């Protein structure tokens, strides 16, 4: 019976950051989650840590100096001085300047880096950071509410020790930032389950985005249509992930659990229940491989908190009663006060059985090209992460003559979110059908 040692990272003040009144990203969801986790008594099943902030040097190991200089210096009070830089750094409605932004970035990325180091040291089997998983951030710019790439930085830490790392993403949006960072290496496989129609943010994640150079076939994309239900999603997930684990044989797994794939999400168009979302976490836990569990999207915050609390229980092996415990935030969970409210049925399911069967067959065919896990020559850990990235680029150039047909798709096309921003928190139950492609 698998009894993993679980580390849980939280900072009470992280819920106090505020992107702006009309912005759908609400860090307060983390406060709701932590209060449910503690009042369910889950702290008795795991070690809880208040992580240190990531240092500027750690963040610069992946991000460009000019971008980090900008992030550190810009504030709501002085932003007019930096207005000329806003287009260069993709500042706008999705990624606004808000009070304490740099502090927020250091906190959530520091927790992911610490979680990775905990797994590397062997002092935890599963490390949970619901603050992290902000998977759209790029080396040179923010994107899709994400400013620094905590997930990418965490994977780079894991690569110092583990020959192969698997990244799995169940957010409704494509994990484009992580895919882009590791597009040319065979040491990281990225596997993203997401809505894709070429328009839905971020506009990437087609099935034929498979990686390039040494990373050819190591990017797996599972593009889904509106309205996918519990049974279809979990069956697809288990089939694909069984094949991925058998083929790639990762030493560690990073699982991004964006909760915007739940039914009734403010920006989402799927029909998943909290139980089905959690079934993906439960399935990956069964492999017994060191695993980092991260947050991500999720914009109906009462359901985000329920979901991540349930999944914390799953990684701990604890059964949670459906009746939510009392917290100072009870009113968020009215009128049912349950862990598993009804979330499905709002959106018509456009994923036919024939489509899902063809999708599965195509992905399994892609995996067959790999012919088992790549052999990794374990060298001395690189003295710096940038050195690793540069060596990977050099390795790719060495084989470009053989694979010059593989071209990396442009990731920098700007796309707006399909959903419009709302006026306040009170609209989260609003009928959003007008913005859905149904």
């Amino acid at each position: 019976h698998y009894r993993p040692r679980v580390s849980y990272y939280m900072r009470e003040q992280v819920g106090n950051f505020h992107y702006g009144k009309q912005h759908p990203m609400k860090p307060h969801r983390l406060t709701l989650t932590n209060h449910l986790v503690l009042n369910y008594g889950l702290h008795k099943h795991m070690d809880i840590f208040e992580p240190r902030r990531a240092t500027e040097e750690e963040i610069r190991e992946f991000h460009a100096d000019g971008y980090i200089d900008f992030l550190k210096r810009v504030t709501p009070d002085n932003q007019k001085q930096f207005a000329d830089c806003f287009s260069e750094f993709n500042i706008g409605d999705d990624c606004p300047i808000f009070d304490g932004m740099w502090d927020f970035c250091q906190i959530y990325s520091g927790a992911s880096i610490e979680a990775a180091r905990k797994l590397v040291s062997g002092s935890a089997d599963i490390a949970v950071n619901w603050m992290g998983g902000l998977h759209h951030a790029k080396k040179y710019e923010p994107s899709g509410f994400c400013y620094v790439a905590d997930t990418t930085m965490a994977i780079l830490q894991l690569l110092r020790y583990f020959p192969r790392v698997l990244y799995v993403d169940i957010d409704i949006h494509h994990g484009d930032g992580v895919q882009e960072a590791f597009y040319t290496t065979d040491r990281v496989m990225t596997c993203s389950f997401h809505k894709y129609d070429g328009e839905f943010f971020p506009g990437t994640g087609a099935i034929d985005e498979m990686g390039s150079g040494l990373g050819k076939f190591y990017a797996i994309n599972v593009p889904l249509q509106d309205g996918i239900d519990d049974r279809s999603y979990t069956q697809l997930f288990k089939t694909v992930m069984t094949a991925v684990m058998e083929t790639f044989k990762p030493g560690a797994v990073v699982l991004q659990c964006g909760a915007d794939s739940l039914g009734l999400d403010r920006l989402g168009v799927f029909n998943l229940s909290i139980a089905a979302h959690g079934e993906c976490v439960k399935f990956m836990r069964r492999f017994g491989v060191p695993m980092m569990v991260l947050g991500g999207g999720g914009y109906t915050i009462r359901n985000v908190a329920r979901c991540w609390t349930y999944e914390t229980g799953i990684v701990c092996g604890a059964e949670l009663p459906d009746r939510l415990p009392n917290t100072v935030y009870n009113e968020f969970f009215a009128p049912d006060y349950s862990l598993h409210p009804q979330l499905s049925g709002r959106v018509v399911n456009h994923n036919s059985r024939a489509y899902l069967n063809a999708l599965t067959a195509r992905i399994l065919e892609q995996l067959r090209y790999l012919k088992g896990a790549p052999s990794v020559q374990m060298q001395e850990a690189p003295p710096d992460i940038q050195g690793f990235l540069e060596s990977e680029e050099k390795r790719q150039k060495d084989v470009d003559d053989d694979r010059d047909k593989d071209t990396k798709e442009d990731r920098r096309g700007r796309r707006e979110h399909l959903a419009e921003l709302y006026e306040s928190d009170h609209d989260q139950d609003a009928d959003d059908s007008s913005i859905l492609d149904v």
Side-chain angles (χ1 to χ4, degrees), residues 140-328:
Y140 299 97
E141 64 181 24
S143 177
F145 317 160
C146 309
Y147 293 84
V148 299
D150 69 287
T151 316
T152 298
M153 291 187 276
I155 292 171
L156 288 167
Q157 293 292 330
L158 295 172
L159 288 172
R160 293 178 181 271
Y161 179 78
F162 296 104
R164 291 176 297 281
V165 176
L166 171 66
Y167 172 72
V168 184
D169 190 317
I170 60 173
D171 193 292
I172 198 172
H173 300 97
H174 178 230
D176 59 333
V178 183
Q179 175 181 290
E180 180 177 319
F182 300 107
Y183 207 65
T184 60
T185 179
D186 58 3
R187 289 189 61 194
V188 178
M189 178 174 280
T190 59
C191 185
S192 179
F193 297 76
H194 51 268
K195 173 181 163 68
Y196 175 79
D197 61 5
E199 294 297 324
F200 190 76
F201 186 88
T204 53
I207 195 167
D208 57 3
E209 294 174 32
M210 294 188 288
S212 75
L214 290 169
K216 182 73 169 176
F217 305 123
Y218 289 89
I220 294 173
N221 283 296
V222 187
L224 301 168
Q225 309 301 315
D226 288 3
I228 193 163
D229 58 27
D230 288 359
R231 184 178 177 186
S232 299
Y233 192 96
T234 55
Q235 183 178 343
L236 177 66
F237 183 87
K238 291 176 181 180
T239 301
V240 170
M241 295 320 304
T242 297
V244 164
M245 293 297 286
E246 288 175 355
T247 303
F248 187 60
K249 298 179 174 60
V253 172
V254 176
L255 178 59
Q256 197 267 20
C257 299
D260 46 9
S261 46
L262 294 173
L264 303 185
D265 186 79
R266 182 173 166 181
L267 299 185
V269 288
F270 286 174
N271 282 320
L272 298 186
S273 68
I274 287 168
H277 199 275
E279 185 63 29
C280 298
V281 180
K282 192 179 295 183
F283 188 74
M284 295 309 297
R285 180 184 184 271
R286 288 187 192 124
F287 288 102
V289 173
M291 183 165 71
M292 185 184 309
V293 178
L294 300 174
Y299 307 101
T300 301
I301 64 172
R302 61 183 180 277
N303 293 333
V304 177
R306 287 168 159 129
C307 183
W308 290 348
T309 299
Y310 176 61
E311 289 167 354
T312 304
I314 286 172
V315 299
C316 291
E319 293 279 338
L320 301 183
D322 189 49
R323 178 75 178 181
L324 293 175
N326 282 323
T327 71
V328 293

